[in-house]
Amino acid sequence: MLSIMTSSYTGSLRNYSVNDCSKHTLRAARPTSSGINSPLLLVVALMAFALTGPYCVGQSVVLSVDVSKAGAKIDRNIFGQFAEHLGHGVYEGIWVGAASKIPNTRGIRNDVVAALKAIKVPNVRWPGGCFADEYHWRNGIGSSRVVTLNPNWGGVIDPNTFGTHEFMDFIDQIGSEAYVSVNIGSGTPKEAADWLEYMTTAQPTTLEKERAANGHPAPYEVANLGLGNESWDCGGNMTPDYYLSQMKIYSRFVRNFNPAQQEKQQMLKIAVGPGGGEPRWTEWTEAIMKAFQQHTWSWDVNGLSMHNYTVVHGWPPSYASVGFGETEYAQVLKSTLDMDSLIARHSAIMDKYDPAKKVALIVDEWGGWYAPLPGSNPGFLVQQNSQRDAVLAALNLNIFARHADRVRGANIAQMINVLQALILTDKEKMVLTPTYYVYKMYLPFQDATFVPVTFDAGWYTHGDVALPRVDAIAAKDTNGKLWLAITNLDPNQPVEIEASLAGITAKSATGETITAPKVDSVNTFDAPNTVVPKAISAKAQGGKLVLKLEPKSVTVVSVEQ
Ligand code: AHR
């Protein structure tokens, strides 16, 4: 750092490139001067720089927040999770069985439940993914389970010991809601209709009695229903027209009978939507939304799903999840920011056919997808989770919040042990990842009201990658308190944030920040606290909050008035 600074010194501090080094650190040594003309002053300045910390501080970024300008509600469902029968996502990650030595409640591990309760998971999507279109629910109920194969994911055996009742028990234990995806690819409308009747009816039908005999007399609530998964690919390679003809049948006949969900809390039906930025996805969204515009009383959808993974250089994912450097850090973050334009593109199509925004865009699979960890089963999609993923998660959550009027749900892939997981387990051990901590820090944004923030982000550049140096969102929580979430993407330079808040008199701010020694720092079972949040606070100065944020950090603070 010092050498960059020295080499770029041109005789006047005003001539420093703010991209390289900061006026801020040097301010102490040069309160008023327009330049350093004496070698002695230069030495003093450099010493002051060296003493102020390990970094040179970048140019301040001014955030302007007008609290009177409230936007859309940030639906808590953007913090949804995804648990597929894939690798150790369900088996071992959630389900260990009642006979396990791992502390559990009715077979569901207690450590995982406690961790998930702490982040108030709004909904969990299950049983897939691609797995959903090969799942037959009857295999997973009753005292004698049918043992099947999981051809999508490693060809391993699925004992079906985790089925409907176990999933609903898990949902209940963590205080969440069920997002159940039904099998359109290899199932039938009757199979799916029967499953919903089995889960939700309160009437004394044969299926209701079977559910009661299996231990649950009361009907279950199903908040969200996925009508297939990636039906354009692993869900059956359907054309938009073929999918539409199928989906309408499922929408018509797969009913939720729960008396508590007839007027209020009606189940949302989510159709398969786009899977990326290519023209075929534009055509897909056009077809579904055009059909929605013309829909009759006999079918309906409330949501359109979107899948978008962060994969650099195409499939199969080749970037490592740990043991990488700044180049991979910058490239992955650049790629993840494409989420914004993708949402904008599909939202624009949706606006055309649904200007009232009745249909939500549900980004129900997203996250960083990297190469499988060496030595792991490649079908299990095992990867580590680093500080890069914490930054990636924050950037995507910010994007969803900015599109809160249309994006009313999102499910990171996946919750435990698979892809960008929040939790990793190994037998009795459990570790929380940097991504988990971001979800914890973002809790106040659940159902908060978006407040627009304007700022000139500046640039962080590395090689041929240029990224906004900072990103920020603001929101008022359900108690009216203002929260700011600010990400410093720059892995080398801290940033000073000057937040000017119109509409309130801010006195201070307190919250948490998460950063790490390196861009690829991770938490492991042996060192679980390498990347954890720490407290941060700031006082108002001249009506502005001044926050100093570390490199590659995510920060969430509440503003005290
Ligand atoms: O999340 C892993 C897989 O990615 C899902 O099963 C599928 O829907 C997607 O292609």
Side-chain angles (χ1 to χ4, degrees), residues 309-313 319-321 324-338 367-370 386 388-389 391-392 395-396 420 465 467 489:
Y309 287 97
T310 300
V311 182
V312 182
H313 295 330
Y319 271 38
S321 58
F324 57 86
E326 186 173 345
T327 299
E328 294 81 5
Y329 169 87
Q331 289 176 348
V332 165
L333 295 188
K334 180 172 170 15
S335 171
T336 213
L337 290 173
D338 291 344
W369 190 326
Y370 313 116
S386 68
R388 178 178 65 186
D389 294 300
V391 173
L392 185 155
L395 294 176
N396 280 280
Q420 190 176 341
V465 176
L467 296 170
L489 285 78

Side-chain angles (χ1 to χ4, degrees), residues 98-392:
S100 172
K101 288 199 180 95
I102 299 170
N104 69 83
T105 303
R106 295 179 294 277
I108 294 164
R109 51 191 302 164
N110 294 344
D111 52 358
V112 162
V113 167
L116 293 172
K117 272 174 93 168
I119 57 168
K120 297 191 193 318
V121 174
N123 73 78
V124 182
R125 181 170 179 253
W126 174 84
C130 297
F131 180 84
D133 279 302
E134 292 192 82
Y135 183 63
H136 300 285
W137 66 275
R138 280 206 158 274
N139 294 337
I141 58 162
S143 53
S144 165
R145 303 291 169 96
V146 179
V147 176
T148 52
L149 290 171
N150 187 341
N152 278 294
W153 305 117
V156 295
I157 276 178
D158 190 319
N160 281 299
T161 43
F162 189 87
T164 303
H165 290 260
E166 293 74 23
F167 173 65
M168 290 298 190
D169 189 10
F170 167 66
I171 288 297
D172 195 43
Q173 288 190 35
I174 66 169
S176 190
E177 289 186 334
Y179 176 176
V180 174
S181 282
V182 292
N183 178 347
I184 287 190
S186 67
T188 63
K190 175 169 166 40
E191 183 187 8
D194 282 353
W195 193 13
L196 264 285
E197 183 188 321
Y198 177 86
M199 287 191 280
T200 63
T201 188
Q203 305 262 45
T205 66
T206 302
L207 285 168
E208 187 267 352
K209 287 182 183 154
E210 190 178 3
R211 186 190 70 227
N214 285 333
H216 208 274
Y220 289 118
E221 290 192 5
V222 178
N224 302 299
L225 188 76
L227 300 172
N229 172 76
E230 299 194 352
S231 303
W232 30 259
D233 190 24
C234 72
N237 266 293
M238 302 175 191
T239 62
D241 283 349
Y242 186 82
Y243 173 72
L244 268 170
S245 67
Q246 298 298 303
M247 182 270 278
K248 288 177 188 174
I249 294 169
Y250 280 74
S251 170
R252 168 87 183 111
F253 296 114
V254 183
R255 297 184 170 102
N256 184 322
F257 296 103
N258 190 318
Q261 293 192 265
Q262 301 312 304
E263 301 295 325
K264 296 177 189 165
Q265 298 180 300
Q266 286 184 6
M267 181 176 77
L268 304 181
K269 297 177 184 177
I270 297 158
V272 168
E278 299 157 32
R280 70 173 174 135
W281 307 122
T282 312
E283 288 156 25
W284 186 280
T285 301
E286 283 273 353
I288 310 294
M289 291 309 297
K290 192 169 179 187
F292 168 79
Q293 189 187 39
Q294 295 161 2
H295 83 101
T296 60
W297 66 270
S298 59
W299 73 277
D300 199 3
V301 291
N302 315 96
L304 183 74
S305 136
M306 184 169 106
H307 292 181
N308 183 41
Y309 287 97
T310 300
V311 182
V312 182
H313 295 330
W315 301 91
S318 55
Y319 271 38
S321 58
V322 65
F324 57 86
E326 186 173 345
T327 299
E328 294 81 5
Y329 169 87
Q331 289 176 348
V332 165
L333 295 188
K334 180 172 170 15
S335 171
T336 213
L337 290 173
D338 291 344
M339 179 70 89
D340 186 55
S341 56
L342 193 64
I343 290 175
R345 192 176 322 152
H346 289 278
S347 294
I349 300 170
M350 295 175 82
D351 286 350
K352 197 163 69 174
Y353 298 107
D354 172 32
K357 299 188 195 290
K358 288 185 180 154
V359 180
L361 186 60
I362 309 287
V363 189
D364 54 12
E365 286 188 30
W366 69 273
W369 190 326
Y370 313 116
L373 280 185
S376 67
N377 183 333
F380 283 12
L381 310 184
V382 181
Q383 58 190 49
Q384 246 298 358
N385 193 290
S386 68
Q387 178 62 17
R388 178 178 65 186
D389 294 300
V391 173
L392 185 155

